Amino acid sequence: MTVRVLFLSEGTSDQGLVSHVEGIAADLGVPVTVSAPDLRWLRLPAGHSVTDKLRTTRDLGGAYDLAVIQRDADRGAPEVRRTEIADAVGDVWPGLAHVPVVPVRMLEAWLLLDEQAIREVAGNPRGRLPLDLPTAASAERVADPKQRLKDTIATASGCKGRRLAELNQRFPKNRHRLLDLLDRHGPVSEVTSWRTFVAELSTALRTVVPGGSM
């Protein structure tokens, strides 16, 4: 039977993770349907907290077997976010199986590892300027992964002046494209927070019972 998955992201630009949830399920041979509501456009807008998003989604109706909930660790400990997610599910939707997705420090740390993808997104796939990318072991220690990724794309592009300004304005779209291009079997597979996400999602997909949560 098909597992009905609810995906709640920290921001709309993180919804590119849906394809990776689907890919991980496909690797396991588990049929899934993933719903990722864009809560910005609802007449009853959700707040920014996990609790608000869950409550608004539940009020809209629909049945799900599993929730996948993404929340960046930012500068805190990952366990703080994991507890925040678990408490929100327990308060708003008790009984709903869930998997926390907690990138350290930000999701951008996962996108800093694929040199060729960065060069392609920067519009300079044959560029040779050194990018000084972090290793998988050090990516989660980058102080500001979002700014580091933006600066790296700029360096990879080789652009200056107006062209560089235009490229920087496209950063949200370029970030989204990098998330789409992310090779889940590539360097990111060696990052602790990614490996935890894949392992916990895989376990949940194997054990959740379709039709068990409303």
Side-chain angles (χ1 to χ4, degrees):
M1 295 179 66
T2 299
V3 177
R4 300 161 298 181
V5 179
L6 168 66
F7 179 80
L8 294 178
S9 60
E10 183 159 312
T12 56
S13 61
D14 300 314
Q15 290 191 352
L17 279 174
V18 167
S19 64
H20 297 291
V21 172
E22 293 169 337
I24 291 166
D27 289 344
L28 297 172
V30 178
V32 296
T33 58
V34 183
S35 299
D38 184 352
L39 301 180
R40 298 176 306 165
W41 305 109
L42 299 177
R43 292 185 177 180
L44 297 175
H48 295 293
S49 73
V50 175
T51 297
D52 290 333
K53 292 175 182 178
L54 279 168
R55 182 174 291 114
T56 299
T57 304
R58 183 163 194 178
D59 288 348
L60 288 171
Y64 302 99
D65 305 303
L66 176 68
V68 178
I69 304 171
Q70 182 249 331
R71 188 82 162 87
D72 289 354
D74 294 325
R75 296 187 180 276
E79 286 306 316
V80 172
R81 295 303 194 197
R82 295 172 67 86
T83 298
E84 174 188 347
I85 292 168
D87 288 348
V89 173
D91 289 343
V92 177
W93 213 321
L96 177 63
H98 76 278
V99 172
V101 187
V102 186
V104 179
R105 305 177 180 229
M106 305 173 188
L107 187 145
E108 284 82 0
W110 292 350
L111 308 179
L112 276 168
L113 302 174
D114 190 331
E115 178 177 346
Q116 190 54 45
I118 290 172
R119 293 191 188 278
E120 289 179 10
V121 165
N124 190 16
R126 297 184 180 179
R128 291 293 180 266
L129 285 171
L131 301 184
D132 190 27
L133 299 179
T135 64
S138 65
E140 294 180 312
R141 297 196 296 272
V142 174
D144 188 345
K146 186 173 184 177
Q147 187 61 51
R148 177 77 172 270
L149 181 62
K150 187 174 184 179
D151 293 343
T152 300
I153 292 172
T155 299
S157 73
C159 293
K160 296 181 180 180
R162 172 183 281 186
R163 290 183 62 198
L164 178 57
E166 291 173 349
L167 176 70
N168 286 334
Q169 289 179 348
R170 295 196 302 272
F171 176 71
K173 292 183 178 179
N174 288 334
R175 177 194 179 279
H176 192 282
R177 187 177 171 209
L178 277 174
L179 185 52
D180 287 338
L181 293 172
L182 182 65
D183 179 3
R184 63 182 181 276
H185 302 298
V188 74
S189 66
E190 300 176 24
V191 178
T192 299
S193 56
W194 175 267
R195 293 175 65 178
T196 299
F197 158 52
V198 174
E200 293 185 347
L201 177 59
S202 298
T203 297
L205 288 171
R206 290 189 185 105
T207 59
V208 71
V209 178
S213 300
M214 301 295 290

